[in-house]
Amino acid sequence: MNLRDFLLMAVVHVRGTAVVVFMLVILHECCNVRASPSSRGYSEAASPTSQMDIFMPGVVPLKHDQYFCTGKQVTLDTNLYITMLKAHAKMEDAHHMLLFGCEVPGSRQAVWGCEFLGKVCKTGLKIIYAWARNAPPTTLPHDVGFRIGAGTGINHLVLQVHYAHPFPASKTDYSGINLSITSLTPKYLAGIWILAADSTQRIPPDRKKVHIDVECQVNIPKTIYPFAYRVHTHTLGTVVTGYRVKNGVWTLLGKGNPQWPQAFYPMDQAYAVNDEDFLAARCTYDSTDRERVTKIGSTANDEMCNFYIMYYTDAQGGQAYGECSNYIQELTDHFPMDSDVPLPPNPLLDELHEAGHDGAIEMPVPKIVEEWPASALHLGDVGGIAVDGRQSVHVFHRSHRMWNKLTFDERYNLQNSYRKPIDGDTVVTLDSGTGSIVSQWGANLFYMPHGITIDTHGNVWLTDVGSHQVYKFPAGGAAQPLLTLGVHFEPGRDAQHFCQPSDVAVHSSGEFYVADGYCNSRIMKFAADGSLITQWPVAVPERINPVIHSITLAEDKGLICAVVRMKTLINCYNLDGSFVQTIQHDEFKPQLFAIEYSSNFGGVLYAVNGNPSLQSGVQLQGFTINITTGEILNTWKPLAKPFQIPHDLAISPDGSTVFVAELKNSNIYKFQAESTKHQSVRKDAPVDTAAHKNNVVQGVAIPIASQTHTAKVHTINNTTKLRANLETDNVKEADSHQGAAGDMSASMIIMALLAVPVLLMIIITVFIRLKRQGRLNGIQSWMTGYQPPSDKFNLGNILNRHHGFDRVSTEESDHEIDPLRDSDSDVDEYTSPVTKA
């Protein structure tokens, strides 16, 4: 009698006792006996399934709300199908995880920061899987798989993990996902369809109930079967409802409160949607507390109307993804009467929603410091202002020289009458406390000063739009620069020339970026020695020249952001020049002049607008902006003496002080931070510098947006059903096996087995499981204390292995990026840019 038959016979005789569970586990692990096929995928006998692990390689998030990505390439030789996904994560560590399919990943590094979806995938982003702490688990139906590989556009799988809180320095994270992948074509293909309102829709102010509807007639090669749904709006949304319309009959697919934590939730059954059927969604908003018109867009000040459908379809010729944003009046007129009736309160989900608002801190609002500077400054027109690491303020001004319409010819050449350097000092250093002048330098060096930047070593970087050059000087100035770029008095567009460069941003590595802003509208990236690395256009020159007037480096975010002055917008890019997002608000008008980034308070941009044409009725002010969401956190301005022509601004290293320089009148304003409650930014925990180790990925801070968290659809009945499903799954691990009764000797053996302590059975089971998982494959890992990328040992994980597609609560901020739309549109939820002017 072999071991397999022996154990099976034992199971038959002791069926109904606790020992059966352990026997089945041993059969499962060492003898390849499987439970009956379940709804969670393919049995090993039926499918040549392989396993793929995508885990974080030991990261240490050091600040609140960090996002890390890691990825794996998919074979392009054939189609593969993901049939099972299992999360290995703890909710106290990973806030949520998302698995994306990418044509080109955001990076080829082992791990990278990816708070924006433009950093997750460079092209071809598709959502495949999601997991989070507040969503109950679910599974893909039987014979359903996500197709990846050849011809799908999914060449890489990228895991994004959101860490809500910093880790202690001694702790690392290996959260991730285990995938079951087969080359056998399943019967059904998994897919996602999104109904999303387009940017032409508007929500009027002060209305109790406003509808935005999205409808489309589907054009699909095969029937699709929706089985789960998710909704998404921003803070004005009260309810979102989705329907299938077939032959005039409206069937409810899902209805959700978008202010509850977001998740996919099951429909009460899988509904068939055929070619030429209609899909319809209605979003209902309450704008009674808003005094302005709200447009559909992707910033915190905008709204959204999205209804997501997860479905399956025939794997042979079925469509894996779909979307629509149409409006059909005939359908709008016939929405069911209860489509805009909110769901009843759900204490569980309301509690989860409110839990997302903890950790609020005092968000500073800059307030003007009166009587600063203590004495009048006699400066020329100010080009730029900067603050160094010692809090000293540096101003780059034009002395007695002025820039007017006669300064340059039509080809941007400096006129002869200006080709003598300014004979007065042009760089002034001020004491930040009193505003008094500490030192001056720069006489006989410059022709038309513009931008000034101080790097981390105190070097002074200056741009001269008159000479078309960029200079690097040592701290305190010198008779000759350390580095000069551009050709003296020669404007141009090639790698050796600038045309009225406006600003410089310097990376801690020594690499630097130049805004070649007035004529060429481009950003140029240089190595520390001045050699060109890359360049890219920020805007195509138009009848109104889109001047790139100011740039700033958000090094902890991996972003370079630029002001497009006349178009009143901010464009942000990855450091290689790939586009990430646009930030644009009506309040920026008529022109946006300058921005500066501070990594304090979770990462914010400070900006100031201007009015060079002196239009009437224009409000000039400063803005504090969440760099991740684009939300305006607060505005600020002087009171007794309002802004006239603000031109540049600078931020102290600790983020507590803002300095604004006006072009005319020698006006330099100082604003000191005062606090007001704001829920959008979380306070950074103290950072232990010992955590910075060679093999550990360090953190960057990503702020939580102030708007309420978005969209999880759920009902009270569904809660009960899902809990029941979870409990059922936990006990359906194996079926009993039938066999012939044994003889007396077998019975005696079984009696002996019953006398064996249960503890011994546990030890055997644990040993076999650890051996199969490779955790006993060498003393070295034990000696070094290596943590494998999975959860620590847990007996529940040994005896109760839940497989399947865990329904997810991404619960990210409303405006973080809603990840489920594969589009390069400037207004969609995934790329997080804004509609351009």
Side-chain angles (χ1 to χ4, degrees):
M1 178 182 294
N2 60 32
L3 178 61
R4 177 182 182 279
D5 293 338
F6 165 75
L7 290 174
L8 278 173
M9 185 174 297
V11 168
V12 170
H13 280 75
V14 300
R15 186 169 64 247
T17 72
V19 180
V20 172
V21 176
F22 301 114
M23 293 292 186
L24 288 174
V25 171
I26 295 175
L27 284 166
H28 175 84
E29 299 297 339
C30 70
C31 306
N32 201 34
V33 172
R34 303 289 178 180
S36 59
S38 74
S39 64
R40 288 193 281 265
Y42 303 95
S43 70
E44 191 169 281
S47 171
T49 301
S50 61
Q51 301 296 311
M52 175 187 289
D53 291 334
I54 304 181
F55 292 99
M56 284 294 151
V59 299
V60 180
L62 296 180
K63 296 182 180 181
H64 288 285
D65 300 297
Q66 292 184 255
Y67 292 77
F68 288 128
C69 280
T70 187
K72 285 194 175 182
Q73 187 168 3
V74 177
T75 179
L76 302 180
D77 297 335
T78 184
N79 277 151
L80 299 174
Y81 298 87
I82 300 173
T83 59
M84 183 276 290
L85 304 98
K86 180 180 181 182
H88 292 266
K90 300 175 182 177
M91 68 181 186
E92 61 266 27
D93 295 338
H95 182 274
H96 69 261
M97 299 190 298
L98 298 172
L99 182 66
F100 296 92
C102 302
E103 183 178 38
V104 178
S107 174
R108 303 284 181 170
Q109 298 177 358
V111 64
W112 66 93
C114 56
E115 64 272 24
F116 300 99
L117 288 193
K119 288 175 174 277
V120 176
C121 299
K122 289 184 178 179
T123 60
L125 180 145
K126 295 181 175 70
I127 183 70
I128 295 177
Y129 172 78
W131 171 92
R133 58 179 181 171
N134 289 332
T138 189
T139 64
L140 283 175
H142 177 55
D143 270 350
V144 174
F146 283 97
R147 183 164 58 199
I148 61 176
T152 64
I154 298 179
N155 305 335
H156 296 261
L157 295 175
V158 174
L159 173 71
Q160 181 196 57
V161 180
H162 171 205
Y163 298 95
H165 305 292
F167 280 16
S170 58
K171 181 178 179 180
T172 56
D173 185 63
Y174 298 90
S175 296
I177 298 174
N178 170 257
L179 311 175
S180 290
I181 299 177
T182 180
S183 58
L184 294 182
T185 302
K187 185 176 181 180
Y188 299 106
L189 188 67
I192 290 174
W193 196 293
I194 175 174
L195 288 84
D198 63 29
S199 60
T200 64
Q201 302 289 335
R202 296 292 185 268
I203 301 170
D206 196 24
R207 299 282 184 87
K208 182 64 177 177
K209 187 176 291 186
V210 179
H211 296 156
I212 288 184
D213 299 333
V214 183
E215 304 102 348
C216 63
Q217 187 171 29
V218 299
N219 181 11
I220 49 177
K222 300 283 186 176
T223 299
I224 65 173
Y225 298 90
F227 64 90
Y229 66 102
R230 173 182 177 266
V231 302
H232 179 78
T233 72
H234 291 175
T235 54
L236 300 183
T238 59
V239 62
V240 180
T241 315
Y243 298 90
R244 179 199 66 185
V245 185
K246 181 189 293 286
N247 299 324
V249 177
W250 291 66
T251 301
L252 179 67
L253 298 179
K255 184 175 187 178
N257 180 347
Q259 303 308 320
W260 286 339
Q262 60 186 16
F264 271 101
Y265 281 94
M267 300 174 185
D268 54 9
Q269 67 181 67
Y271 294 95
V273 176
N274 298 309
D275 188 37
E276 298 187 354
D277 286 348
F278 291 88
L279 294 173
R282 165 164 285 179
C283 299
T284 303
Y285 304 90
D286 181 351
S287 63
T288 53
D289 293 330
R290 184 162 293 185
E291 298 178 354
R292 60 175 175 85
V293 174
T294 304
K295 64 183 178 68
I296 295 296
S298 56
T299 74
N301 285 338
D302 303 327
E303 265 298 340
M304 288 184 173
C305 174
N306 293 356
F307 186 83
Y308 301 96
I309 296 170
M310 185 177 290
Y311 65 87
Y312 59 87
T313 185
D314 196 312
Q316 301 298 327
Q319 182 173 319
Y321 295 91
E323 61 179 299
C324 66
S325 57
N326 300 333
Y327 173 79
I328 304 174
Q329 184 64 51
E330 291 79 2
L331 289 178
T332 292
D333 294 340
H334 293 88
F335 263 87
M337 294 294 293
D338 62 352
S339 63
D340 57 6
V341 177
L343 291 171
N346 184 317
L348 172 63
L349 295 180
D350 290 334
E351 179 182 355
L352 293 177
H353 166 63
E354 291 301 324
H357 295 284
D358 61 348
I361 67 162
E362 300 293 314
M363 179 62 205
V365 177
K367 298 292 185 182
I368 188 68
V369 178
E370 303 291 351
E371 299 182 358
W372 190 98
S375 58
L377 299 174
H378 299 287
L379 306 174
D381 290 356
V382 175
I385 187 170
V387 181
D388 65 21
R390 297 181 178 181
Q391 308 277 357
S392 294
V393 180
H394 302 263
V395 180
F396 195 26
H397 70 100
R398 297 167 187 165
S399 186
H400 55 79
R401 185 158 292 177
M402 299 180 66
W403 184 355
N404 57 45
K405 294 181 180 180
L406 301 178
T407 306
F408 296 89
D409 66 19
E410 68 278 2
R411 297 189 178 184
Y412 306 105
N413 294 296
L414 190 67
Q415 299 283 16
N416 290 333
S417 58
Y418 291 86
R419 291 199 175 196
K420 288 184 179 180
I422 299 169
D423 56 12
D425 287 328
T426 55
V427 182
V428 176
T429 302
L430 306 177
D431 182 287
S432 62
T434 65
S436 59
I437 295 176
V438 176
S439 63
Q440 302 185 60
W441 62 278
N444 298 306
L445 289 174
F446 309 106
Y447 300 86
M448 192 60 68
H450 198 275
I452 181 170
T453 301
I454 313 296
D455 68 21
T456 55
H457 301 289
N459 297 308
V460 183
W461 297 75
L462 302 163
T463 67
D464 189 333
V465 296
S467 66
H468 305 287
Q469 290 181 295
V470 174
Y471 308 97
K472 174 186 177 182
F473 284 88
Q480 296 295 328
L482 301 173
L483 179 68
T484 301
L485 282 80
V487 180
H488 194 59
F489 289 151
E490 288 187 12
R493 296 179 180 272
D494 58 25
Q496 288 73 45
H497 289 79
F498 300 113
C499 186
Q500 297 179 347
S502 57
D503 202 5
V504 177
V506 185
H507 195 276
S508 60
S509 66
E511 295 178 345
F512 60 96
Y513 300 79
V514 174
D516 192 15
Y518 276 88
C519 321
N520 291 329
S521 302
R522 62 179 175 175
I523 293 177
M524 305 177 74
K525 179 180 180 180
F526 295 88
D529 62 2
S531 57
L532 181 65
I533 297 175
T534 188
Q535 60 179 310
W536 63 92
V538 173
V540 177
E542 300 172 358
R543 184 176 61 85
I544 298 177
N545 185 22
V547 173
I548 312 307
H549 197 258
S550 174
I551 59 174
T552 189
L553 186 66
E555 190 168 332
D556 61 338
K557 301 287 192 292
L559 295 176
I560 180 79
C561 296
V563 161
V564 186
R565 189 173 113 182
M566 280 71 166
K567 299 191 75 172
T568 62
L569 58 82
I570 300 167
N571 276 353
C572 293
Y573 303 84
N574 291 318
L575 299 185
D576 62 0
S578 55
F579 176 77
V580 174
Q581 67 171 348
T582 292
I583 301 172
Q584 188 172 27
H585 297 277
D586 289 339
E587 293 88 339
F588 290 168
K589 294 177 180 178
Q591 294 187 22
L592 191 63
F593 269 76
I595 54 170
E596 193 70 27
Y597 174 74
S598 174
S599 61
N600 297 284
F601 314 112
V604 293
L605 290 170
Y606 294 89
V608 65
N609 66 346
N611 183 23
S613 60
L614 303 180
Q615 301 175 27
S616 61
V618 172
Q619 178 153 279
L620 300 183
Q621 57 191 335
F623 308 90
T624 308
I625 304 164
N626 184 317
I627 191 173
T628 303
T629 68
E631 175 194 6
I632 296 176
L633 302 177
N634 51 56
T635 60
W636 36 272
K637 59 185 178 181
L639 300 177
K641 185 173 65 174
F643 285 139
Q644 297 179 43
I645 311 178
H647 193 257
D648 197 17
L649 57 79
I651 314 300
S652 63
D654 63 0
S656 66
T657 310
V658 183
F659 297 91
V660 177
E662 292 205 306
L663 182 65
K664 303 287 185 180
N665 307 320
S666 299
N667 288 335
I668 308 292
Y669 299 87
K670 178 180 179 180
F671 294 83
Q672 198 76 37
E674 293 185 4
S675 296
T676 182
K677 197 72 172 179
H678 196 288
Q679 293 182 334
S680 72
V681 183
R682 291 174 177 264
K683 189 173 183 180
D684 296 339
V687 176
D688 187 345
T689 55
H692 293 261
K693 303 175 184 177
N694 291 335
N695 295 327
V696 177
V697 179
Q698 303 301 330
V700 293
I702 305 301
I704 292 291
S706 66
Q707 304 280 356
T708 48
H709 294 266
T710 55
K712 177 161 68 175
V713 182
H714 211 296
T715 66
I716 295 176
N717 290 338
N718 277 346
T719 303
T720 305
K721 183 188 298 185
L722 288 167
R723 287 179 174 171
N725 289 344
L726 176 59
E727 293 167 358
T728 303
D729 284 341
N730 287 342
V731 298
K732 290 169 60 179
E733 194 59 46
D735 292 336
S736 61
H737 296 270
Q738 300 296 329
D743 54 19
M744 179 61 69
S745 60
S747 298
M748 294 297 293
I749 295 173
I750 293 168
M751 292 297 294
L753 282 173
L754 288 173
V756 175
V758 172
L759 179 61
L760 179 60
M761 303 303 298
I762 296 174
I763 293 172
I764 295 172
T765 304
V766 170
F767 178 83
I768 294 172
R769 171 56 59 83
L770 294 178
K771 187 175 187 304
R772 285 178 56 84
Q773 294 180 349
R775 301 189 186 186
L776 303 179
N777 291 341
I779 302 300
Q780 182 179 1
S781 61
W782 175 79
M783 298 276 296
T784 59
Y786 168 70
Q787 283 279 11
S790 60
D791 292 339
K792 293 181 181 179
F793 168 72
N794 183 299
L795 182 60
N797 293 339
I798 297 290
L799 301 179
N800 180 23
R801 295 161 58 201
H802 171 73
H803 299 286
F805 182 91
D806 287 348
R807 191 167 1 302
V808 22
S809 157
T810 53
E811 215 181 308
E812 70 268 318
S813 304
D814 255 353
H815 328 293
E816 267 180 28
I817 34 181
D818 203 48
L820 296 177
R821 191 174 185 185
D822 177 29
S823 170
D824 293 325
S825 168
D826 280 348
V827 297
D828 70 36
E829 200 174 342
Y830 310 108
T831 54
S832 73
V834 190
T835 305
K836 298 180 181 178

